[in-house]
Amino acid sequence: DGAPESGGVGRGNASAVLGVVLMSLAPIPARMLHDTVVLKVVTGIDRYQNKTYTSYTVKNVHLQSSNDVIKSANNTEVQLKGVLFIDARKSLPVLDIYALQKQSLANGDTMRAVVTDASGTEVGDYAVLIVDDLPDVPATRRHHWELGLV
């Protein structure tokens, strides 16, 4: 009768649900994932009132320049300097970026992202303004993270 099988799962990278075919996002090409980021999460304040951080190094990420203007949480316009792509499978180690940002904010400030290119040259030290989790099909899988940097 042409109806999808029970569970709505098709072949390959497609899912068929109620006659609609959904395709998975193509993986981020490995050749693009040549940067490294050190995520610095605020963990507290020392006795001199300086922020203390825990650092997490993630390899195989991609920094893309940006000049997009977005609205911040307090409804002001902010210009992004870049967008950092962290692949859910190829960027290592795999971290819960939302949890790290939440922890950092709970301790007084947004986390920071220090990005280096393939040659090891630091290309920027940014504040992480936005953390977006982009799902794949099925929506229970994460495809990648996008971090809006200022």
Side-chain angles (χ1 to χ4, degrees), residues 41-45 51 102-109:
V41 179
V42 178
T43 55
I45 305 288
K51 295 173 191 144
K102 185 176 178 182
Q103 175 188 354
S104 196
L105 291 170
N107 286 310
D109 204 358

Side-chain angles (χ1 to χ4, degrees), residues 37-49:
V37 65
V38 175
L39 296 173
K40 296 171 64 178
V41 179
V42 178
T43 55
I45 305 288
D46 67 15
R47 66 180 183 209
Y48 304 108
Q49 300 303 308

Side-chain angles (χ1 to χ4, degrees), residues 3 10 12 17 25 29 31 34 38 41 44 58 64 66 73 91 96 99-100 102 110 113 120-122 139 145:
V17 179
L25 291 173
R31 70 181 179 279
H34 53 79
V38 175
V41 179
V58 182
Q64 179 177 312
S66 174
S91 300
D96 184 342
L100 294 177
K102 185 176 178 182
T110 186
T121 303
E122 184 177 311
W145 297 97

Side-chain angles (χ1 to χ4, degrees), residues 56-141:
Y56 301 89
T57 301
V58 182
K59 297 182 179 197
N60 306 323
V61 301
H62 176 69
L63 176 64
Q64 179 177 312
S65 295
S66 174
N67 59 4
D68 290 346
V69 176
I70 60 161
K71 293 271 187 183
S72 68
N74 61 3
N75 206 28
T76 59
E77 290 188 349
V78 178
Q79 184 173 358
L80 291 180
K81 292 181 182 176
V83 177
L84 185 70
F85 295 86
I86 302 176
D87 190 83
R89 286 169 278 294
K90 296 175 186 164
S91 300
L92 298 172
V94 175
L95 300 170
D96 184 342
I97 308 299
Y98 272 140
L100 294 177
Q101 178 74 321
K102 185 176 178 182
Q103 175 188 354
S104 196
L105 291 170
N107 286 310
D109 204 358
T110 186
M111 74 181 158
R112 300 205 58 85
V114 181
V115 182
T116 55
D117 63 17
S119 69
T121 303
E122 184 177 311
V123 293
D125 181 348
Y126 306 96
V128 178
L129 184 64
I130 300 169
V131 175
D132 278 334
D133 176 6
L134 281 91
D136 202 348
V137 175
T140 57
R141 266 190 340 205

